[in-house]
């Protein structure tokens, strides 16, 4: 994926531009200039953080793989199994990130947006790479190649980019099987019925299995339950940590 990163980023920005034009022509008001600039600033910081933490993820997984119970072969089937299991572990990581204050400190920035559009997808904490690899260690211990694990997680996050939009309605029979824009809008909702729902990255079967699935049944109110925070990217990224260490964290979502 590294070789295609430039092309992938170009396509993503073209999709964002298309969504902006669609929103303007349909008067949907999906984009707020200040919030969009904040999102893009957070994205720039996130890209820089990946340079700072370069190799950290593979180092953690590589160390764990030294203690693997078996070495699995490298082929398409093993990658597919790895991808599905990584999605299950992502579900657990994501769910814990909503219900345990130290991890919510990292994740709060992603849910603080008051609108839903494609730029919201990369409203990601600059320090998330410190904790995310730890949740995928079981795959390394099971013998999956570290690059398969990292690749599965990267593809999972790339897929989720396309879910952060209001341009796509419900998708019929795949709702409740795959994560969809409708299902992910629910996840970002601060409506009481939507809180702590739809944690899956690619598959919704985990939410069905663990009873956290919720279809979109009412208009979504975005943001956290305590309301607007700021347009300052530094304030948004560090807000969760400040709340954590000042014992003012009131939101569970």
């Amino acid at each position: 994926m590294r070789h295609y990163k430039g092309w992938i980023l170009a396509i993503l920005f073209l999709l964002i531009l298309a969504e902006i034009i669609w929103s303007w022509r349909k008067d949907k008001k999906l984009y707020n200039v200040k919030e969009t600039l904040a999102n893009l600033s957070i994205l720039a910081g996130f890209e820089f953080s990946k340079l700072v933490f370069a190799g950290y993820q593979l180092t953690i997984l590589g160390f764990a793989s030294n203690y693997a119970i078996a070495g699995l072969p490298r082929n398409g089937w093993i990658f597919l199994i790895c991808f599905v299991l990584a999605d299950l572990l992502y579900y657990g990581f994501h769910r814990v990130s909503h219900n345990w204050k130290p991890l919510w400190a990292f994740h709060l920035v992603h849910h603080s947006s008051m609108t839903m559009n494609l730029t919201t997808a990369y409203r990601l904490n600059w320090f998330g790479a410190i904790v995310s690899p730890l949740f995928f260690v079981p795959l390394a211990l099971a013998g999956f190649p570290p690059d398969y694990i990292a690749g599965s997680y990267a593809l999972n996050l790339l897929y989720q980019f396309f879910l952060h939009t209001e341009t796509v309605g419900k998708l019929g029979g795949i709702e409740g099987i795959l994560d969809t824009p409708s299902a992910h809008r629910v996840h970002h909702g601060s409506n009481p019925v939507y809180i702590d729902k739809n944690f899956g990255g690619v598959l919704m079967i985990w939410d069905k299995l663990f009873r956290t699935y919720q279809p979109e049944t009412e208009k979504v109110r975005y943001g956290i339950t305590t309301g607007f925070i700021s347009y300052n990217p530094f304030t948004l990224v560090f807000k969760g940590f400040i709340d954590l260490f000042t014992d003012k964290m009131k939101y569970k979502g």
Side-chain angles (χ1 to χ4, degrees):
M1 181 175 291
R2 184 181 307 168
H3 301 92
Y4 301 101
K5 184 176 179 180
W7 285 104
I8 292 172
L9 287 176
I11 291 171
L12 299 186
F13 277 106
L14 283 175
L15 288 173
I16 290 170
L17 180 60
E19 187 182 52
I20 290 173
I21 294 172
W22 180 87
S23 174
W24 172 68
R25 295 190 65 179
K26 298 290 186 179
D27 196 28
K28 295 292 185 179
K29 297 181 174 59
L30 300 183
Y31 281 82
N32 173 293
V33 173
K34 290 183 178 179
E35 185 162 86
T36 300
L37 290 175
N39 292 349
L40 295 177
S41 297
I42 292 170
L43 170 59
F46 178 71
E47 289 297 315
F48 177 73
S49 76
K50 289 198 293 188
L51 296 177
V52 174
F53 296 110
Y56 170 77
Q57 186 177 55
L58 287 176
T59 299
I60 294 294
L61 297 175
F63 176 79
S65 68
N66 291 329
Y67 301 92
I69 58 176
L72 296 175
R74 302 175 65 87
N75 58 54
W77 286 109
I78 294 300
F79 182 82
L80 179 61
I81 294 170
C82 181
F83 183 84
V84 173
L85 292 177
D87 193 60
L88 171 60
L89 291 177
Y90 175 82
Y91 169 90
F93 170 42
H94 197 181
R95 187 169 179 177
V96 173
S97 295
H98 277 250
N99 290 281
W100 188 42
K101 290 181 179 181
L103 285 185
W104 176 248
F106 289 89
H107 196 49
L108 181 149
V109 61
H110 188 63
H111 282 268
S112 59
S113 178
M114 304 300 289
T115 58
M116 174 65 92
N117 58 61
L118 292 173
T119 67
T120 308
Y122 286 108
R123 197 176 171 109
L124 300 170
N125 198 286
W126 300 336
F127 306 99
I130 296 173
V131 294
S132 58
L134 303 177
F135 283 82
F136 298 93
V137 164
L139 292 179
L141 293 176
F144 290 97
D147 58 324
Y148 277 24
I149 303 169
S152 295
Y153 183 43
L155 287 173
N156 195 302
L157 294 181
L158 177 61
Y159 175 82
Q160 290 185 54
F161 168 82
F162 302 97
L163 306 179
H164 294 79
T165 184
E166 291 192 348
T167 64
V168 179
K170 292 188 177 182
L171 296 177
I174 69 171
E175 297 290 347
I177 299 174
L178 292 178
D179 200 356
T180 64
S182 176
H184 206 66
R185 288 193 292 269
V186 166
H187 177 69
H188 275 261
S190 59
N191 315 45
V193 69
Y194 292 159
I195 292 177
D196 288 345
K197 302 297 182 183
N198 299 358
F199 295 107
V202 175
L203 300 173
M204 280 286 101
I205 58 176
W206 316 122
D207 288 280
K208 286 288 191 72
L209 181 62
F210 298 111
R211 299 183 179 181
T212 53
Y213 177 68
Q214 171 63 46
E216 188 177 18
T217 56
E218 62 186 48
K219 184 175 176 57
V220 182
R221 298 194 304 272
Y222 299 110
I224 60 176
T225 56
T226 50
F228 175 75
I229 296 176
S230 174
Y231 292 128
N232 185 313
F234 291 95
T235 300
L236 292 166
V237 168
F238 289 99
K239 170 66 173 173
F241 302 114
I242 293 170
D243 285 353
L244 177 64
F245 291 110
T246 57
D247 199 29
K248 293 182 179 179
M249 190 170 292
K250 299 178 182 178
Y251 173 72
K252 175 195 173 190

